[in-house]
Amino acid sequence: MNTPMEKLVKLHDKSFRLYKSESEILSAVRNVAGQINDDYIGKRPLLVPVLNGSFLFAADLLKELKLDCELSFIKVVSYHGTSSNGSPNMLIGLNQNIEGRHIIIIEDIVDTGNTLARILPELRAQNPASIKVATLLFKPLALKADVPVDYIGMEIPNDFIVGYGLDYDGLGRNLRDVYQVVPE
Ligand code: 5GP
Ligand code: MG
């Protein structure tokens, strides 16, 4: 008897197998949007997606929001200064005043939480009215930093995934489904 062909993609040197279909992802996105719609009635949140990985999640999430909302992308970039001390990366892109605003950070995936741990203090220092975090994917077993994750699309195991905005060394962001690495 033939078994159905597994949906595999090859990116660089690794193979990935289908893990979450586009329809499962979009239903998780609608679920997060529904919670935000309920929680921000009468408010005008500023959504702050973290580039690059979150661009598709941000786009689909925004289409499901029924509230007045604004959007401002940020990026955490590594830089190599001349001094070895100091912060290894910096936050760019947030060039508007967030004092008194309701901020929702939009992440593609929270893994160790280090990215959020870098972003949150810098935003908190600007006195927003509130900050919450929405992530499409969350790896609870990988979390190291003490960061809040308020809205979660899906919890996943500690395996490397690609697709729906997430890349493996630059490739795979355009895949509509999410794929999990096949161990060698
Ligand atoms: P953190 O460890 O700081 O929570 O996650 C940092 C970033 O690493 C995420 O925003 C994401 O861009 C990337 N990342 C973490 N886990 C994965 C994964 O399984 N696949 C891909 N493609 N990127 C990941
Ligand atoms: Mg990210």
Side-chain angles (χ1 to χ4, degrees):
M1 202 172 77
N2 288 336
T3 49
M5 277 256 286
E6 224 182 359
K7 201 169 170 188
L8 285 177
V9 296
K10 182 112 199 285
L11 301 171
H12 299 294
D13 56 334
K14 291 192 191 303
S15 295
F16 296 82
R17 70 166 71 93
L18 183 63
Y19 179 55
K20 297 287 180 192
S21 67
E22 182 178 24
S23 67
E24 285 175 277
I25 295 162
L26 293 179
S27 114
V29 173
R30 279 192 293 271
N31 182 35
V32 170
Q35 295 175 55
I36 293 174
N37 282 329
D38 289 346
D39 291 353
Y40 288 82
I41 293 168
K43 296 180 178 141
R44 177 156 39 101
L46 172 63
L47 276 68
V48 179
V50 185
L51 290 171
N52 288 323
S54 66
F55 74 105
L56 287 182
F57 176 41
D60 286 334
L61 183 69
L62 236 79
K63 289 187 274 184
E64 298 292 337
L65 294 183
K66 314 293 180 204
L67 331 130
D68 285 347
C69 58
E70 295 176 36
L71 182 75
S72 183
F73 285 93
I74 57 170
K75 191 166 190 176
V76 178
V77 294
S78 319
Y79 75 103
H80 307 283
T82 47
S83 151
S84 59
N85 49 25
S87 171
N89 52 41
M90 61 194 247
L91 194 64
I92 59 167
L94 193 71
N95 38 28
Q96 73 192 87
N97 185 4
I98 63 164
E99 190 173 343
R101 299 298 308 269
H102 293 286
I103 305 298
I104 309 176
I105 299 174
I106 308 295
E107 268 285 26
D108 49 352
I109 186 165
V110 176
D111 186 56
T112 62
N114 289 339
T115 306
L116 282 174
R118 177 69 187 81
I119 294 169
L120 281 163
E122 201 161 322
L123 298 192
R124 283 184 187 130
Q126 298 178 47
N127 296 318
S130 67
I131 304 188
K132 291 208 171 177
V133 174
T135 187
L136 177 66
L137 301 163
F138 179 46
K139 293 181 181 172
L141 295 176
L143 190 67
K144 291 200 185 87
D146 180 18
V147 289
V149 188
D150 303 283
Y151 303 103
I152 296 169
M154 290 185 266
E155 291 196 359
I156 63 168
N158 210 353
D159 299 311
F160 188 77
I161 51 125
V162 291
Y164 193 72
L166 290 117
D167 73 309
Y168 168 48
D169 199 10
L171 298 182
R173 295 192 196 277
N174 52 324
L175 297 166
R176 287 170 171 263
D177 310 297
V178 165
Y179 292 76
Q180 193 173 44
V181 74
V182 178
E184 275 143 37

